Short mmCIF file of all heavy atoms in Angstrom, two decimals:
data_model
loop_
_atom_site.label_atom_id
_atom_site.label_comp_id
_atom_site.label_asym_id
_atom_site.label_seq_id
_atom_site.Cartn_x
_atom_site.Cartn_y
_atom_site.Cartn_z
N MET Y 1 78.88 69.66 176.13
CA MET Y 1 79.95 70.10 175.15
C MET Y 1 80.08 68.91 174.13
O MET Y 1 80.25 69.25 172.90
CB MET Y 1 81.26 70.29 175.89
CG MET Y 1 82.27 71.00 175.02
SD MET Y 1 81.71 72.63 174.68
CE MET Y 1 83.16 73.33 174.03
N ASN Y 2 80.07 67.68 174.55
CA ASN Y 2 80.23 66.58 173.59
C ASN Y 2 78.99 66.53 172.61
O ASN Y 2 79.24 66.18 171.44
CB ASN Y 2 80.35 65.22 174.30
CG ASN Y 2 81.67 65.12 174.96
OD1 ASN Y 2 82.63 65.73 174.58
ND2 ASN Y 2 81.78 64.27 175.97
N VAL Y 3 77.81 66.88 173.10
CA VAL Y 3 76.69 66.87 172.16
C VAL Y 3 76.78 67.93 171.16
O VAL Y 3 76.47 67.68 170.03
CB VAL Y 3 75.38 67.00 173.10
CG1 VAL Y 3 74.17 67.23 172.18
CG2 VAL Y 3 75.18 65.87 174.05
N MET Y 4 77.28 69.08 171.55
CA MET Y 4 77.47 70.15 170.56
C MET Y 4 78.52 69.77 169.53
O MET Y 4 78.26 70.01 168.37
CB MET Y 4 77.94 71.45 171.31
CG MET Y 4 77.94 72.66 170.42
SD MET Y 4 78.15 74.16 171.33
CE MET Y 4 79.93 74.28 171.13
N LYS Y 5 79.63 69.19 169.94
CA LYS Y 5 80.60 68.68 168.97
C LYS Y 5 79.99 67.63 168.01
O LYS Y 5 80.33 67.63 166.84
CB LYS Y 5 81.86 68.09 169.69
CG LYS Y 5 82.69 69.19 170.34
CD LYS Y 5 83.88 68.54 170.97
CE LYS Y 5 84.72 69.62 171.69
NZ LYS Y 5 85.94 68.97 172.26
N PHE Y 6 79.16 66.81 168.61
CA PHE Y 6 78.60 65.74 167.78
C PHE Y 6 77.70 66.37 166.66
O PHE Y 6 77.73 66.01 165.54
CB PHE Y 6 77.77 64.80 168.69
CG PHE Y 6 76.88 63.80 167.84
CD1 PHE Y 6 77.46 62.76 167.26
CD2 PHE Y 6 75.51 64.00 167.70
CE1 PHE Y 6 76.68 61.82 166.48
CE2 PHE Y 6 74.75 63.18 166.97
CZ PHE Y 6 75.35 62.05 166.38
N PHE Y 7 76.87 67.37 167.08
CA PHE Y 7 76.00 67.99 166.06
C PHE Y 7 76.80 68.78 165.06
O PHE Y 7 76.42 68.77 163.86
CB PHE Y 7 74.91 68.89 166.79
CG PHE Y 7 73.82 68.12 167.39
CD1 PHE Y 7 73.63 68.14 168.71
CD2 PHE Y 7 72.94 67.41 166.56
CE1 PHE Y 7 72.56 67.42 169.28
CE2 PHE Y 7 71.92 66.68 167.09
CZ PHE Y 7 71.70 66.62 168.47
N LEU Y 8 77.86 69.43 165.47
CA LEU Y 8 78.71 70.12 164.49
C LEU Y 8 79.35 69.17 163.52
O LEU Y 8 79.40 69.44 162.26
CB LEU Y 8 79.75 70.94 165.17
CG LEU Y 8 79.24 72.22 165.95
CD1 LEU Y 8 80.37 72.82 166.73
CD2 LEU Y 8 78.65 73.19 165.01
N ALA Y 9 79.80 68.02 164.02
CA ALA Y 9 80.40 66.99 163.15
C ALA Y 9 79.39 66.45 162.16
O ALA Y 9 79.56 66.19 161.06
CB ALA Y 9 81.02 65.90 163.99
N MET Y 10 78.12 66.26 162.72
CA MET Y 10 77.08 65.71 161.89
C MET Y 10 76.71 66.66 160.77
O MET Y 10 76.59 66.35 159.58
CB MET Y 10 75.82 65.44 162.71
CG MET Y 10 74.70 64.71 161.97
SD MET Y 10 73.31 64.29 163.09
CE MET Y 10 72.69 65.89 163.42
N LEU Y 11 76.60 67.99 161.03
CA LEU Y 11 76.37 69.00 160.00
C LEU Y 11 77.47 69.03 158.99
O LEU Y 11 77.26 69.22 157.86
CB LEU Y 11 76.15 70.41 160.69
CG LEU Y 11 74.94 70.62 161.44
CD1 LEU Y 11 74.92 71.96 162.15
CD2 LEU Y 11 73.73 70.48 160.52
N ALA Y 12 78.73 68.95 159.49
CA ALA Y 12 79.87 68.94 158.54
C ALA Y 12 79.84 67.74 157.60
O ALA Y 12 80.14 67.87 156.42
CB ALA Y 12 81.22 69.04 159.34
N GLY Y 13 79.47 66.62 158.15
CA GLY Y 13 79.32 65.42 157.35
C GLY Y 13 78.30 65.58 156.24
O GLY Y 13 78.46 65.27 155.09
N PHE Y 14 77.06 66.12 156.66
CA PHE Y 14 76.04 66.31 155.65
C PHE Y 14 76.42 67.32 154.60
O PHE Y 14 76.15 67.22 153.47
CB PHE Y 14 74.73 66.79 156.37
CG PHE Y 14 74.02 65.74 157.11
CD1 PHE Y 14 73.40 65.97 158.32
CD2 PHE Y 14 73.85 64.44 156.55
CE1 PHE Y 14 72.81 64.98 159.06
CE2 PHE Y 14 73.23 63.46 157.24
CZ PHE Y 14 72.66 63.65 158.45
N GLY Y 15 77.20 68.29 154.99
CA GLY Y 15 77.69 69.27 154.06
C GLY Y 15 78.70 68.64 153.04
O GLY Y 15 78.55 68.94 151.81
N LEU Y 16 79.53 67.82 153.49
CA LEU Y 16 80.42 67.08 152.51
C LEU Y 16 79.67 66.20 151.62
O LEU Y 16 79.98 66.13 150.43
CB LEU Y 16 81.45 66.25 153.34
CG LEU Y 16 82.52 67.06 154.11
CD1 LEU Y 16 83.41 66.11 154.94
CD2 LEU Y 16 83.37 67.93 153.21
N ILE Y 17 78.66 65.52 152.11
CA ILE Y 17 77.86 64.66 151.23
C ILE Y 17 77.15 65.52 150.14
O ILE Y 17 77.09 65.13 149.04
CB ILE Y 17 76.83 63.85 152.03
CG1 ILE Y 17 77.59 62.85 152.95
CG2 ILE Y 17 75.79 63.15 151.18
CD1 ILE Y 17 76.70 62.12 153.96
N ARG Y 18 76.62 66.69 150.54
CA ARG Y 18 75.92 67.55 149.58
C ARG Y 18 76.90 68.04 148.55
O ARG Y 18 76.52 68.12 147.36
CB ARG Y 18 75.25 68.69 150.28
CG ARG Y 18 74.01 68.23 151.11
CD ARG Y 18 73.26 69.47 151.62
NE ARG Y 18 72.81 70.21 150.51
CZ ARG Y 18 71.53 70.45 150.17
NH1 ARG Y 18 70.64 69.97 150.96
NH2 ARG Y 18 71.23 71.18 149.19
N VAL Y 19 78.07 68.40 148.96
CA VAL Y 19 79.01 68.97 148.00
C VAL Y 19 79.41 67.79 147.03
O VAL Y 19 79.53 68.00 145.83
CB VAL Y 19 80.36 69.44 148.75
CG1 VAL Y 19 81.42 69.67 147.77
CG2 VAL Y 19 79.95 70.70 149.48
N TYR Y 20 79.63 66.62 147.54
CA TYR Y 20 79.94 65.41 146.64
C TYR Y 20 78.90 65.20 145.66
O TYR Y 20 79.15 64.95 144.49
CB TYR Y 20 80.30 64.20 147.52
CG TYR Y 20 80.54 62.96 146.67
CD1 TYR Y 20 81.70 62.77 146.02
CD2 TYR Y 20 79.54 62.01 146.52
CE1 TYR Y 20 81.95 61.71 145.27
CE2 TYR Y 20 79.73 60.86 145.73
CZ TYR Y 20 80.93 60.77 145.07
OH TYR Y 20 81.17 59.69 144.27
N ASN Y 21 77.63 65.17 146.14
CA ASN Y 21 76.50 64.91 145.26
C ASN Y 21 76.40 65.98 144.17
O ASN Y 21 76.06 65.73 143.00
CB ASN Y 21 75.21 64.88 146.06
CG ASN Y 21 75.00 63.51 146.73
OD1 ASN Y 21 75.67 62.56 146.38
ND2 ASN Y 21 74.28 63.53 147.82
N PHE Y 22 76.66 67.27 144.56
CA PHE Y 22 76.56 68.36 143.63
C PHE Y 22 77.63 68.17 142.50
O PHE Y 22 77.33 68.37 141.33
CB PHE Y 22 76.80 69.71 144.31
CG PHE Y 22 76.81 70.89 143.45
CD1 PHE Y 22 75.59 71.31 142.86
CD2 PHE Y 22 77.99 71.55 143.13
CE1 PHE Y 22 75.62 72.42 142.00
CE2 PHE Y 22 77.97 72.63 142.30
CZ PHE Y 22 76.87 73.06 141.77
N ILE Y 23 78.89 67.80 142.94
CA ILE Y 23 79.94 67.63 141.91
C ILE Y 23 79.59 66.47 141.05
O ILE Y 23 79.84 66.50 139.82
CB ILE Y 23 81.28 67.48 142.69
CG1 ILE Y 23 81.68 68.82 143.33
CG2 ILE Y 23 82.36 67.08 141.65
CD1 ILE Y 23 82.83 68.73 144.28
N ALA Y 24 79.17 65.39 141.64
CA ALA Y 24 78.86 64.14 140.87
C ALA Y 24 77.78 64.44 139.83
O ALA Y 24 77.80 64.00 138.67
CB ALA Y 24 78.52 63.03 141.74
N GLN Y 25 76.76 65.15 140.21
CA GLN Y 25 75.62 65.55 139.32
C GLN Y 25 76.13 66.37 138.15
O GLN Y 25 75.69 66.12 137.04
CB GLN Y 25 74.55 66.26 140.08
CG GLN Y 25 73.29 66.49 139.31
CD GLN Y 25 72.61 65.25 138.93
OE1 GLN Y 25 72.64 64.29 139.62
NE2 GLN Y 25 71.91 65.28 137.76
N ARG Y 26 76.99 67.33 138.43
CA ARG Y 26 77.49 68.23 137.32
C ARG Y 26 78.32 67.32 136.36
O ARG Y 26 78.18 67.52 135.13
CB ARG Y 26 78.39 69.28 137.90
CG ARG Y 26 77.58 70.35 138.57
CD ARG Y 26 78.41 71.60 138.93
NE ARG Y 26 78.97 72.16 137.81
CZ ARG Y 26 80.10 72.92 137.79
NH1 ARG Y 26 80.63 73.17 138.89
NH2 ARG Y 26 80.58 73.45 136.65
N GLU Y 27 79.12 66.41 136.84
CA GLU Y 27 79.91 65.54 135.96
C GLU Y 27 78.98 64.66 135.09
O GLU Y 27 79.26 64.49 133.97
CB GLU Y 27 80.87 64.69 136.79
CG GLU Y 27 82.01 65.42 137.34
CD GLU Y 27 82.98 64.62 138.15
OE1 GLU Y 27 82.79 63.38 138.14
OE2 GLU Y 27 83.95 65.18 138.68
N LEU Y 28 77.92 64.10 135.66
CA LEU Y 28 77.01 63.32 134.87
C LEU Y 28 76.31 64.17 133.82
O LEU Y 28 76.13 63.70 132.71
CB LEU Y 28 75.90 62.74 135.85
CG LEU Y 28 76.37 61.55 136.65
CD1 LEU Y 28 75.28 61.11 137.61
CD2 LEU Y 28 76.82 60.37 135.79
N GLU Y 29 75.94 65.34 134.12
CA GLU Y 29 75.26 66.21 133.16
C GLU Y 29 76.23 66.56 132.07
O GLU Y 29 75.88 66.67 130.89
CB GLU Y 29 74.77 67.50 133.84
CG GLU Y 29 73.58 67.31 134.76
CD GLU Y 29 73.18 68.54 135.46
OE1 GLU Y 29 73.81 69.59 135.36
OE2 GLU Y 29 72.15 68.46 136.20
N GLU Y 30 77.47 66.77 132.34
CA GLU Y 30 78.48 67.04 131.33
C GLU Y 30 78.65 65.87 130.39
O GLU Y 30 78.76 66.00 129.16
CB GLU Y 30 79.82 67.48 131.90
CG GLU Y 30 79.87 68.88 132.54
CD GLU Y 30 81.14 69.12 133.22
OE1 GLU Y 30 82.11 68.36 133.16
OE2 GLU Y 30 81.20 70.24 133.88
N GLU Y 31 78.68 64.65 130.93
CA GLU Y 31 78.85 63.50 130.12
C GLU Y 31 77.59 63.29 129.22
O GLU Y 31 77.72 62.94 128.06
CB GLU Y 31 79.01 62.25 130.99
CG GLU Y 31 80.36 62.15 131.65
CD GLU Y 31 80.49 60.91 132.56
OE1 GLU Y 31 79.58 60.08 132.54
OE2 GLU Y 31 81.53 60.88 133.31
N GLU Y 32 76.40 63.59 129.74
CA GLU Y 32 75.19 63.45 128.87
C GLU Y 32 75.25 64.42 127.80
O GLU Y 32 74.89 64.11 126.63
CB GLU Y 32 73.99 63.64 129.80
CG GLU Y 32 73.67 62.57 130.72
CD GLU Y 32 72.54 62.81 131.66
OE1 GLU Y 32 71.95 63.92 131.59
OE2 GLU Y 32 72.16 61.96 132.51
N ASN Y 33 75.72 65.65 128.04
CA ASN Y 33 75.82 66.64 126.91
C ASN Y 33 76.85 66.24 125.90
O ASN Y 33 76.60 66.40 124.68
CB ASN Y 33 76.21 67.98 127.54
CG ASN Y 33 75.10 68.68 128.31
OD1 ASN Y 33 73.93 68.32 128.17
ND2 ASN Y 33 75.42 69.53 129.24
N ASP Y 34 77.92 65.61 126.34
CA ASP Y 34 78.92 65.12 125.32
C ASP Y 34 78.33 64.02 124.47
O ASP Y 34 78.50 64.03 123.26
CB ASP Y 34 80.14 64.61 126.04
CG ASP Y 34 80.91 65.69 126.74
OD1 ASP Y 34 80.73 66.90 126.40
OD2 ASP Y 34 81.79 65.41 127.66
N ILE Y 35 77.58 63.12 125.09
CA ILE Y 35 76.97 62.02 124.28
C ILE Y 35 75.96 62.63 123.29
O ILE Y 35 75.92 62.23 122.16
CB ILE Y 35 76.29 61.00 125.27
CG1 ILE Y 35 77.36 60.23 126.06
CG2 ILE Y 35 75.44 60.07 124.44
CD1 ILE Y 35 76.78 59.43 127.17
N TYR Y 36 75.19 63.55 123.73
CA TYR Y 36 74.17 64.18 122.89
C TYR Y 36 74.81 64.92 121.70
O TYR Y 36 74.36 64.76 120.57
CB TYR Y 36 73.33 65.19 123.71
CG TYR Y 36 72.20 65.86 122.92
CD1 TYR Y 36 71.04 65.12 122.67
CD2 TYR Y 36 72.36 67.15 122.48
CE1 TYR Y 36 70.02 65.76 121.94
CE2 TYR Y 36 71.36 67.76 121.74
CZ TYR Y 36 70.23 67.07 121.49
OH TYR Y 36 69.20 67.68 120.81
N ASP Y 37 75.89 65.63 121.94
CA ASP Y 37 76.61 66.34 120.87
C ASP Y 37 77.20 65.36 119.89
O ASP Y 37 77.16 65.56 118.72
CB ASP Y 37 77.67 67.21 121.47
CG ASP Y 37 77.09 68.44 122.22
OD1 ASP Y 37 75.93 68.72 122.02
OD2 ASP Y 37 77.85 68.97 123.04
N ASP Y 38 77.78 64.29 120.36
CA ASP Y 38 78.41 63.30 119.49
C ASP Y 38 77.40 62.58 118.61
O ASP Y 38 77.63 62.39 117.40
CB ASP Y 38 79.11 62.20 120.34
CG ASP Y 38 80.39 62.76 120.95
OD1 ASP Y 38 80.81 63.78 120.49
OD2 ASP Y 38 80.87 62.10 121.82
N GLU Y 39 76.17 62.36 119.16
CA GLU Y 39 75.12 61.74 118.35
C GLU Y 39 74.68 62.61 117.21
O GLU Y 39 74.39 62.13 116.12
CB GLU Y 39 73.91 61.31 119.18
CG GLU Y 39 74.19 60.20 120.13
CD GLU Y 39 72.97 59.95 121.03
OE1 GLU Y 39 72.00 60.68 121.00
OE2 GLU Y 39 73.06 58.94 121.80
N HIS Y 40 74.64 63.89 117.38
CA HIS Y 40 74.14 64.82 116.38
C HIS Y 40 75.26 65.17 115.41
O HIS Y 40 75.06 65.52 114.28
CB HIS Y 40 73.55 66.05 117.02
CG HIS Y 40 72.22 65.79 117.66
ND1 HIS Y 40 71.15 65.23 117.00
CD2 HIS Y 40 71.79 65.96 118.95
CE1 HIS Y 40 70.08 65.04 117.85
NE2 HIS Y 40 70.50 65.48 119.07
N GLU Y 41 76.51 65.16 115.94
CA GLU Y 41 77.60 65.45 115.05
C GLU Y 41 77.94 64.30 114.09
O GLU Y 41 78.19 64.50 112.94
CB GLU Y 41 78.87 65.80 115.92
CG GLU Y 41 79.98 66.31 115.10
CD GLU Y 41 81.14 66.87 115.99
OE1 GLU Y 41 80.79 67.24 117.15
OE2 GLU Y 41 82.21 66.88 115.50
N TYR Y 42 77.80 63.09 114.58
CA TYR Y 42 78.02 61.87 113.83
C TYR Y 42 76.86 60.99 113.84
O TYR Y 42 76.70 60.10 114.72
CB TYR Y 42 79.28 61.13 114.35
CG TYR Y 42 80.52 61.98 114.42
CD1 TYR Y 42 81.00 62.39 115.67
CD2 TYR Y 42 81.22 62.27 113.28
CE1 TYR Y 42 82.14 63.23 115.72
CE2 TYR Y 42 82.39 63.12 113.38
CZ TYR Y 42 82.82 63.55 114.58
OH TYR Y 42 83.96 64.33 114.64
N PRO Y 43 75.82 61.20 112.98
CA PRO Y 43 74.67 60.37 113.08
C PRO Y 43 74.93 58.96 112.74
O PRO Y 43 75.85 58.66 111.93
CB PRO Y 43 73.72 60.98 112.03
CG PRO Y 43 74.62 61.78 111.21
CD PRO Y 43 75.80 62.20 111.98
N LEU Y 44 74.20 58.06 113.40
CA LEU Y 44 74.45 56.63 113.15
C LEU Y 44 73.96 56.18 111.83
O LEU Y 44 74.53 55.44 111.13
CB LEU Y 44 73.66 55.87 114.32
CG LEU Y 44 73.99 54.38 114.38
CD1 LEU Y 44 75.44 54.10 114.53
CD2 LEU Y 44 73.19 53.76 115.52
N PHE Y 45 72.71 56.70 111.45
CA PHE Y 45 72.17 56.37 110.14
C PHE Y 45 72.20 57.60 109.24
O PHE Y 45 71.85 58.70 109.71
CB PHE Y 45 70.73 55.89 110.35
CG PHE Y 45 70.71 54.67 111.17
CD1 PHE Y 45 70.20 54.73 112.46
CD2 PHE Y 45 71.05 53.43 110.67
CE1 PHE Y 45 70.16 53.67 113.21
CE2 PHE Y 45 70.99 52.33 111.48
CZ PHE Y 45 70.54 52.41 112.76
N VAL Y 46 72.46 57.41 107.99
CA VAL Y 46 72.49 58.60 107.08
C VAL Y 46 71.27 58.54 106.17
O VAL Y 46 70.80 57.58 105.75
CB VAL Y 46 73.79 58.50 106.18
CG1 VAL Y 46 73.83 59.69 105.18
CG2 VAL Y 46 75.02 58.43 107.09
#
């Protein structure tokens, strides 16, 4: 029974890590898009 609980806890931990990585990746992509839009909206050199 303890082994089964251990494996369930391990799977839950991996699931939380995957969710965190997914959210972090989406936030990074949004920041990259914002930087890209700002560069084209306000060019550094005219």
Side-chain angles (χ1 to χ4, degrees):
M1 193 65 168
N2 286 337
V3 174
M4 189 171 94
K5 286 183 181 180
F6 172 76
F7 281 116
L8 289 175
M10 188 174 68
L11 287 175
F14 285 138
L16 290 175
I17 292 171
R18 289 189 60 116
V19 168
Y20 175 76
N21 285 336
F22 177 74
I23 292 170
Q25 185 66 31
R26 287 189 59 202
E27 288 181 3
L28 286 175
E29 289 175 357
E30 288 176 4
E31 288 178 9
E32 289 175 359
N33 289 339
D34 291 343
I35 292 171
Y36 182 78
D37 291 341
D38 289 343
E39 287 177 355
H40 290 302
E41 190 172 333
Y42 305 106
L44 190 57
F45 300 106
V46 180

